[in-house]
């Protein structure tokens, strides 16, 4: 059920296979700069400011109902999936996933790759959003690289996807540009400069 609803949302936002980068593979969306490049990552203020931005954007969107974490496994992967899952659940204060699916695919170089989709129903078990956002932001600095570009929050009613990928940035995609227009107006200063022209073309 969670997978079925998620697939519908991916179709609605124009990214049926959930391809990365999300922003470049979906027609309607916003890309935000989360980490301030003028602040050193050795300064705790950097992570605090990044978290405040990510949290603010998260809470400006209608309620999310589905949490998805995607694990990528290749032939040379050494980390244990079960151990990683327990660590994720501990960070987010969640039980084990409600649904788990496996997809065999290949990398851009043609190497075998397995994607493991782990779903939680947020209407039944709400994660600790603050802890999870903070963990994603610090993923490259706290030894949990499996969180990078791998955690997705979905609203499967209005078809919105929130994707905080690490300390640098965050994508928000939707079926309709009207859904994201208020966020586009409110957070102009946080829009990633490199992609601003594309966003202006979408929302002008």
């Amino acid at each position: 059920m969670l997978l079925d609803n998620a697939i519908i949302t991916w179709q609605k936002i124009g990214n049926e296979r959930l391809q990365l980068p999300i922003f470049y593979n979906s027609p309607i969306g916003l890309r935000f700069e989360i980490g301030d490049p003028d602040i050193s990552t050795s300064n705790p203020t950097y992570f605090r400011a990044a978290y405040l931005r990510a949290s603010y954007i998260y809470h400006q969107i209608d309620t999310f109902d589905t949490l998805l974490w995607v694990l990528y496994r290749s032939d040379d992967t050494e980390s244990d999936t079960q151990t990683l899952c327990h660590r994720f659940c501990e960070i987010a204060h969640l039980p084990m996933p409600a649904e788990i699916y496996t997809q065999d695919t290949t990398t851009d170089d043609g190497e075998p790759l397995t994607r493991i989709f782990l779903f939680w129903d947020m209407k039944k078990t709400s994660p600790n959003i603050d802890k999870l956002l903070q963990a994603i932001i610090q993923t490259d600095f706290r030894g949990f690289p499996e969180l990078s570009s791998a955690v997705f929050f979905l609203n499967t009613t209005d078809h919105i996807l929130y994707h905080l990928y690490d300390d640098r940035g965050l994508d928000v995609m939707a079926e309709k540009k009207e859904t994201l227009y208020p966020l586009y107006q409110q957070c102009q200063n946080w829009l990633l400069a490199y992609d601003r022209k594309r966003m202006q073309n979408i929302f002008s």
Side-chain angles (χ1 to χ4, degrees):
M1 177 64 76
L2 296 178
L3 175 62
D4 293 339
N5 291 337
I7 290 174
I8 291 171
T9 291
W10 301 341
Q11 292 171 338
K12 294 288 187 179
I13 67 171
N15 191 341
E16 185 173 356
R17 298 184 66 242
L18 196 64
Q19 293 298 298
L20 301 175
I22 295 297
F23 181 77
Y24 297 127
N25 287 282
S26 312
I28 299 173
L30 298 170
R31 170 160 275 200
F32 296 99
E33 187 168 33
I34 297 301
D36 188 336
D38 294 327
I39 303 176
S40 170
T41 56
S42 63
N43 186 338
T45 303
Y46 173 85
F47 294 103
R48 177 63 178 168
Y51 160 72
L52 289 175
R53 286 189 183 188
S55 178
Y56 179 84
I57 293 168
Y58 179 93
H59 290 290
Q60 295 309 301
I61 302 170
D62 289 336
T63 305
F64 294 100
D65 53 65
T66 304
L67 171 62
L68 166 63
W69 180 34
V70 182
L71 273 174
Y72 299 89
R73 310 278 86 185
S74 60
D75 291 340
D76 58 355
T77 300
E78 296 181 358
S79 53
D80 177 68
T81 301
Q82 192 74 4
T83 301
L84 292 172
C85 190
H86 280 293
R87 184 177 180 187
F88 183 94
C89 292
E90 183 178 355
I91 290 171
H93 296 186
L94 285 169
M96 295 300 284
E99 297 179 16
I100 301 176
Y101 303 93
T102 300
Q103 178 192 56
D104 292 325
T105 182
T106 59
T107 66
D108 292 338
D109 298 327
E111 296 297 323
L113 180 71
T114 298
R115 294 202 296 179
I116 304 175
F117 297 85
L118 302 99
F119 285 96
W120 287 265
D121 187 342
M122 293 176 62
K123 291 180 291 186
K124 295 181 179 179
T125 53
S126 180
N128 186 318
I129 300 299
D130 294 339
K131 295 294 186 183
L132 187 50
L133 295 183
Q134 290 170 2
I136 297 168
I137 288 170
Q138 298 187 43
T139 183
D140 290 334
F141 304 87
R142 293 292 179 90
F144 201 176
E146 289 82 5
L147 294 182
S148 180
S149 298
V151 181
F152 306 86
F153 296 89
L154 293 88
N155 177 322
T156 62
T157 300
D158 296 323
H159 306 301
I160 307 170
L161 184 148
Y162 172 104
H163 181 219
L164 173 65
Y165 42 91
D166 55 27
D167 63 293
R168 293 164 295 177
L170 150 62
D171 295 340
V172 183
M173 317 310 295
E175 176 187 14
K176 301 176 181 178
K177 64 181 181 180
E178 291 80 9
T179 304
L180 299 183
Y181 189 72
L183 195 59
Y184 171 73
Q185 289 186 307
Q186 294 168 21
C187 302
Q188 282 280 325
N189 292 339
W190 298 347
L191 297 176
L192 187 65
Y194 182 82
D195 294 305
R196 185 179 291 272
K197 185 175 181 180
R198 179 187 173 189
M199 289 181 276
Q200 288 175 337
N201 290 337
I202 294 172
F203 294 97
S204 296

